[in-house]
Amino acid sequence: MSEQQLPEGWQMVKFGDIAKHISKRVEPSETDLEVYVGLEHLDPDSLKIKRHGVPSDVAGQKLLVKKGQIIFGKRRAYQRKVAVADWDCICSAHAMVLEANPEKVIPEFLPFVMQSDVFMKRAVEISEGSLSPTIKWKVLSNQLFAIPDIRNQQKLLSTLNSLEHTIARAYEAEQSSLNLFQRIIDKLTTFDRIEDLPAAYKRVRLKEIGKTNSALLSNKTKKDSILEYIDISSVSFPGKVNPPQEYTFAEAPSRARRILNEGDIVVSTVRPNHRASFYVSDELKGKIASTGFSIIATDKEYSDFAYFFTLSKQFSHSLTNLAVGTSFPAVTDADVLSQRIVLPPKNELKKQVETLKKLESNYRQCHSRLRSVINLKSNYLNTLLGAK
């Protein structure tokens, strides 16, 4: 876009004119700083760093970050990881550390520019490499972007900061609802000591109330049949399943052969610490799951309660400790079925399931509100910076 096409008060600038690249190296073993931020600690489309490690977690040179500077994931830019440091820290060398040039851009405005679709699309386009595409500062610094002048940036910041504040409050509400949901799951489905069990409660293994569902898709299926396939990477805690991917039978991964039935409980047997469990609802029945899952068919009266048990911390910790392997630690179907669940008497079971469902619904409503505000901010940014 040329300067002549821009509205009054807007300008085309090179990214290197509004941002400075900071590249100060630090040995983790030699720093007094207490915080390490890796790319795994950054959430897509979130300027807030919500978790972190410590320097002793890592080896090899890292980057020095000062409070207020921007950490941008230069590797796999499609993950959209941009955040502002709340403290002096060190970060992954797979990131860029940037700070604003205050003569050209208000420092608080620059991170919003970098969150826009127009910036992220360009970042992906200029990334180099196939397995781990990475951005070079020299290339990024020469990219042209349209931004408002300082006076207009100040006006826009008021709205953007209000949206950030609303997102922060929605995130707190979501986390509070999730923490309550988790506490009640753990309280109702697990007990540390068998002597703490109330009267009429019993502790049994999953195999006593269910079995592995190993129904396989027939090899006689037509090659052009469309399969809707659920992989482990499409499942996130607690029990969220992204839309299945479509394959023809001929093109589907060879491991995509297990049929889901309504009421099944599906548990990841690969990297169980990721807690990729979900319940097969009516809309998911008939879909195909990878053999990286253990699929449990329980007695119908226990299916909902058993599903919530698979979301408990005890269930996750136990399977994680049983997992074998380094790159892809895994457990077996037998390991899953050997887990012990606490069952209430039948006159209490329905009441407890209803309580857990209400808490789950409350969490999902809070999560939906958070996503709505994030989408509102994204749409505002993209209308603002992408339509100029």
Side-chain angles (χ1 to χ4, degrees), residues 71-240:
I71 302 174
F72 169 49
K74 68 179 182 180
R75 175 171 285 190
R76 300 188 179 98
Y78 56 82
Q79 294 180 339
R80 301 176 66 96
K81 294 188 174 183
V82 178
V84 179
D86 288 327
W87 352 253
D88 291 354
C89 60
I90 63 174
C91 79
S92 168
H94 297 313
M96 280 186 188
V97 179
L98 305 170
E99 66 179 25
N101 177 358
E103 295 179 2
K104 295 286 186 178
V105 65
I106 298 173
E108 293 84 357
F109 190 74
L110 180 59
F112 292 118
V113 173
M114 296 178 67
Q115 282 192 311
S116 68
D117 282 354
V118 67
F119 177 87
M120 286 298 180
K121 181 180 178 182
R122 191 77 54 79
V124 171
E125 290 172 347
I126 64 174
S127 297
E128 300 177 15
S130 53
L131 294 178
S132 297
T134 303
I135 299 169
K136 292 180 179 177
W137 167 250
K138 184 177 180 179
V139 178
L140 178 60
S141 66
N142 285 315
Q143 301 303 305
L144 290 171
F145 297 96
I147 66 167
D149 59 23
I150 295 288
R151 182 175 62 85
N152 283 306
Q153 290 174 30
Q154 192 64 60
K155 292 179 180 179
L156 297 170
L157 261 178
S158 176
T159 300
L160 289 167
N161 285 332
S162 293
L163 286 168
E164 278 297 295
H165 179 68
T166 304
I167 288 171
R169 294 188 60 136
Y171 175 77
E172 290 174 1
E174 182 213 42
Q175 290 301 298
S176 293
S177 64
L178 179 58
N179 289 339
L180 177 60
F181 182 36
Q182 182 71 74
R183 286 201 302 271
I184 301 304
I185 286 172
D186 294 336
K187 179 180 179 180
L188 295 181
T189 67
T190 65
F191 281 84
D192 290 334
R193 301 185 308 169
I194 194 167
E195 56 265 32
D196 292 334
L197 285 178
Y201 280 63
K202 58 181 179 178
R203 194 176 184 212
V204 303
R205 297 187 188 276
L206 277 180
K207 65 182 179 182
E208 295 177 55
I209 60 171
K211 62 182 180 179
T212 301
N213 169 20
S214 56
L216 300 178
L217 193 66
S218 172
N219 287 328
K220 296 180 180 179
T221 303
K222 292 181 179 180
K223 292 185 177 181
D224 59 353
S225 297
I226 301 297
L227 303 179
E228 292 186 272
Y229 172 54
I230 298 173
D231 192 88
I232 293 169
S233 62
S234 66
V235 183
S236 57
F237 182 84
K240 182 180 181 298

Side-chain angles (χ1 to χ4, degrees), residues 29-48:
S29 61
E30 298 174 2
T31 183
D32 293 329
L33 296 173
E34 299 178 350
V35 173
Y36 164 72
V37 178
L39 296 188
E40 68 275 15
H41 298 127
L42 305 183
D43 293 322
D45 295 313
S46 175
L47 296 179
K48 188 73 174 175

